[in-house]
Amino acid sequence: MQEKYDVIVIGAGLSGLAAGIRLAMFGKKVCILEKHSIPGGLNSFYQRKGVQFDVGLHALTNFAKRGEKGLPLTKILKQLRISYDELDLKEQFFSQIAFPDLSLSFTNELEFLVEEINKNFPEESDSFLKLVEKVKQFNAFSLDQDFVSTREILPQYIKDPLLQEMILAPTLAYGSAWENDVDFSQFVILFRSIFLEGLSKPMGGIRKVLGLLEKRFNENGGILKYKSPVKNIIQNTKGVEGVILKNGTILKSDTIISSAGFPETMDMVEEELPPKISPEVGSFSFTESIAVLNKKPKELGQKAATIFYSSLPKYKYENPKTHYGTETAILSFPNNFEEDPMEEGMARVTFLANYNLWKQLDRASYKDKKEEVFESSLRLFEEFCPKIKDHLILKDVFTPTTIEKFTNHKKGTIYGSPQKQKRGTTPIKGLILCGTDQGFLGIIGSLLSGISMANLHGFSPTQGATS
Ligand SMILES: Cc1cc2nc3c(=O)[nH]c(=O)nc-3n(C[C@H](O)[C@H](O)[C@H](O)COP(=O)(O)OP(=O)(O)OC[C@H]3O[C@@H](n4cnc5c(N)ncnc54)[C@H](O)[C@@H]3O)c2cc1C
């Protein structure tokens, strides 16, 4: 007998789990299929030599204080029935945007950044506040907006080219699928989430967050199947009909919500029926070097949680011509939050990377190239955290091919396809996207995406699920 569900969700990443919880909570028979043996996708975890690593948690954006109403974090927790205390969030000390001749610091209080701008760009003080007002008023969560270039809008507010670049740096680095630009509504979401709301960290790391989500899904009667890679999505003349797993099992449903990515999902669709479409695959990926230390970075003089670094006055956010680009980077120091339960010190550097070049390497050259990435990362660490080398006890590097292998995202893209589907729809009836390629990304963005797509498409209009 073939299993039949109201909704099948592909992927137990953050968006898939959030979608599953909403559907199960409102009585839908829902099954999440995950190809791996653990949840998390791009934001998962592993252990090496006794050290716990989070793959994709530098910092949680969209901080909200307990009881603060109307913010994305508060809304998400309410919709998923997770209490604020369960997350155990601790705020960053501060973060930095570090350019060749100037660094700007920011905390979770906007006034701090406003002061920094008053001090370093006095002629831009008013315009920055006007930009903040524009960002606050803008309806970034509208599902009906086309791409608008932030590089065209920003100069209408900020005249100084250096300040434009410094404001753009964190928003590009933390979520743009477009080279050297970002869709304005995405910019607004990222600006709010980084500068207006701020950065924090759940004390149990991403394991804790994923554990809470999985528990909530199970409690509501959802079925989560690990080691269940979907090979094909089946359709008939009316729309989707179900999925075939790699082992040949067929599961039926006329609503499938996929978090696998737009091009990846369309590749799974059996091709007998038109239309065949091939969405654009994102053009760049990242390497990440992780240094485990026998001292905390703050004891070595570095207290920033995150540093958005540029060696050039114009922020370069494009697919590098070489295996990785060192002109821009994100440095992250997971110990630098209000509380720090980690035993060891840790520092991470993320560089933009060219997937195609990594993919061509043979085994030996791949290993050498990873060593080279780590050496480049160490040189950058030393600029911000002198003597770090003397305290290194363990290192790890992951590359675009690692990301592709563990998440199935084509070319190891983290920010997905530049073709976002804000309403989640695809050309096939009943086949819905959530997560990165729907358009909301990052940890909070993915959760929001899963919730919104479940609310929008998982229920008939009379059923509704809004509270
Ligand atoms: C190095 C790195 C650092 C990051 N840092 C941060 C950060 O500091 N803060 C932040 O907010 N965000 C960060 N992010 C981004 C954030 O992790 C992602 O935006 C978010 O996790 C995306 O979630 P998702 O559910 O959309 O997709 P995914 O996590 O990609 O989930 C998709 C899931 O689908 C599964 N899947 C795919 N194909 C199939 C198939 N055929 N069958 C079954 N299952 C399938 C995958 O295995 C995966 O589990 C980071 C990401 C990375 C990689």
Side-chain angles (χ1 to χ4, degrees):
M1 256 275 279
Q2 282 164 354
E3 291 172 40
K4 194 162 181 347
Y5 294 94
D6 294 330
V7 184
I8 289 174
V9 177
I10 304 179
L14 293 158
S15 65
L17 284 167
I21 293 173
R22 283 301 284 177
L23 294 161
M25 201 177 261
F26 286 88
K28 290 283 171 185
K29 188 177 174 202
V30 50
C31 175
I32 302 182
L33 300 166
E34 169 56 51
K35 94 189 247 271
H36 285 294
S37 51
I38 54 168
L42 283 165
N43 217 312
S44 196
F45 53 87
Y46 62 100
Q47 181 172 329
R48 249 189 92 193
K49 299 195 174 158
V51 179
Q52 309 282 346
F53 292 93
D54 280 343
V55 181
L57 175 64
H58 292 156
L60 191 76
T61 55
N62 301 85
F63 178 72
K65 288 193 167 52
R66 184 209 307 271
E68 253 184 311
K69 293 216 166 72
L71 294 177
L73 177 69
T74 332
K75 285 186 192 161
I76 285 167
L77 293 181
K78 188 171 168 229
Q79 294 239 335
L80 298 177
R81 315 279 193 266
I82 291 176
S83 80
Y84 184 87
D85 290 341
E86 278 179 296
L87 272 192
D88 198 9
L89 293 179
K90 300 294 173 219
E91 292 186 64
Q92 64 169 339
F93 295 141
F94 67 92
S95 284
Q96 238 175 16
I97 307 164
F99 271 54
D101 299 317
L102 182 66
S103 287
L104 292 178
S105 296
F106 61 94
T107 63
N108 291 355
E109 306 300 329
L110 179 67
E111 293 68 37
F112 193 96
L113 177 60
V114 170
E115 262 316 297
E116 286 278 279
I117 289 174
N118 288 346
K119 210 164 52 194
N120 294 288
F121 298 94
E123 67 292 352
E124 296 284 4
S125 302
D126 288 346
S127 12
F128 182 71
L129 292 177
K130 281 189 187 132
L131 176 67
V132 170
E133 218 31 57
K134 164 89 180 169
V135 163
K136 282 185 179 168
Q137 301 305 329
F138 191 84
N139 178 12
F141 293 108
S142 156
L143 301 177
D144 297 311
Q145 276 157 21
D146 291 330
F147 179 89
V148 176
S149 160
T150 302
R151 285 212 178 266
E152 282 174 21
I153 305 251
L154 205 50
Q156 295 170 18
Y157 293 85
I158 307 289
K159 300 290 173 229
D160 190 304
L162 178 60
L163 184 56
Q164 286 173 15
E165 297 301 318
M166 293 184 93
I167 291 171
L168 270 174
T171 59
L172 297 184
Y174 256 20
S176 175
W178 300 268
E179 292 205 338
N180 288 319
D181 205 348
V182 56
D183 177 24
F184 189 68
S185 53
Q186 187 82 23
F187 169 82
V188 166
I189 292 173
L190 288 158
F191 187 101
R192 283 182 196 156
S193 69
I194 299 168
F195 296 128
L196 303 189
E197 291 154 28
L199 306 181
S200 69
K201 199 179 138 188
M203 283 299 96
I206 200 65
R207 279 176 186 73
K208 175 84 181 288
V209 179
L210 291 167
L212 286 170
L213 295 172
E214 196 174 337
K215 184 164 164 255
R216 199 58 81 248
F217 181 62
N218 292 333
E219 282 167 0
N220 283 288
I223 293 165
L224 176 46
K225 294 182 191 254
Y226 287 114
K227 295 189 174 173
S228 301
V230 174
K231 184 162 158 267
N232 282 125
I233 294 169
I234 331 163
Q235 54 169 327
N236 57 32
T237 46
K238 292 196 199 123
V240 282
E241 194 184 329
V243 296
I244 309 178
L245 302 187
K246 215 170 168 188
N247 65 10
T249 308
I250 295 178
L251 290 89
K252 296 266 190 166
S253 179
D254 58 13
T255 307
I256 296 175
I257 300 185
S258 171
S259 65
F262 192 16
E264 294 82 353
T265 300
M266 294 318 292
D267 265 8
M268 284 185 239
V269 176
E270 280 197 332
E271 281 176 35
E272 288 92 43
L273 293 167
K276 166 77 184 154
I277 62 154
S278 304
E280 199 181 330
V281 178
S283 55
F284 45 76
S285 183
F286 295 91
T287 61
E288 182 153 301
S289 304
I290 306 166
V292 181
L293 312 166
N294 62 12
K295 250 191 173 178
K296 306 269 171 105
K298 57 182 171 248
E299 296 168 56
L300 301 168
Q302 184 53 258
K303 284 190 79 180
T306 310
I307 299 174
F308 299 94
Y309 163 83
S310 176
S311 64
L312 307 168
K314 188 164 170 66
Y315 193 73
K316 195 170 172 188
Y317 187 73
E318 59 193 39
N319 196 5
K321 306 267 181 300
T322 47
H323 288 81
Y324 60 101
T326 53
E327 293 97 340
T328 61
I330 308 171
L331 290 91
S332 111
F333 298 96
N335 303 95
N336 288 343
F337 292 81
E338 264 173 351
E339 259 176 47
D340 176 21
M342 288 165 66
E343 273 171 36
E344 57 286 317
M346 202 176 270
R348 313 167 70 123
V349 170
T350 314
F351 290 134
L352 283 163
N354 182 315
Y355 167 86
N356 290 336
L357 295 177
W358 282 92
K359 189 71 183 167
Q360 285 160 21
L361 294 174
D362 61 36
R363 220 178 144 77
S365 335
Y366 178 77
K367 220 171 147 222
D368 291 347
K369 197 50 84 180
K370 275 174 66 165
E371 281 299 318
E372 192 190 307
V373 170
F374 194 77
E375 285 308 310
S376 301
S377 306
L378 269 188
R379 279 194 292 279
L380 188 57
F381 277 139
E382 291 276 324
E383 271 187 44
F384 291 93
C385 198
K387 305 259 182 287
I388 199 170
K389 250 189 205 159
D390 304 341
H391 299 282
L392 187 66
I393 48 174
L394 183 64
K395 65 181 183 187
D396 201 8
V397 176
F398 60 83
T399 73
T401 51
T402 330
I403 299 171
E404 184 181 54
K405 181 173 165 200
F406 285 101
T407 68
N408 250 27
H409 285 293
K410 280 173 183 278
K411 296 190 165 191
T413 51
I414 294 179
Y415 300 146
S417 166
Q419 260 173 281
K420 302 297 180 199
Q421 299 298 107
K422 291 206 178 140
R423 299 198 75 79
T425 48
T426 68
I428 297 164
K429 189 164 177 278
L431 179 58
I432 306 300
L433 300 177
C434 73
T436 313
D437 283 349
Q438 178 270 322
F440 304 154
L441 45 78
I443 298 167
I444 297 296
S446 319
L447 293 172
L448 192 61
S449 173
I451 294 170
S452 334
M453 292 305 107
N455 290 349
L456 192 64
H457 301 287
F459 303 91
S460 64
T462 47
Q463 284 175 304
T466 48
S467 59

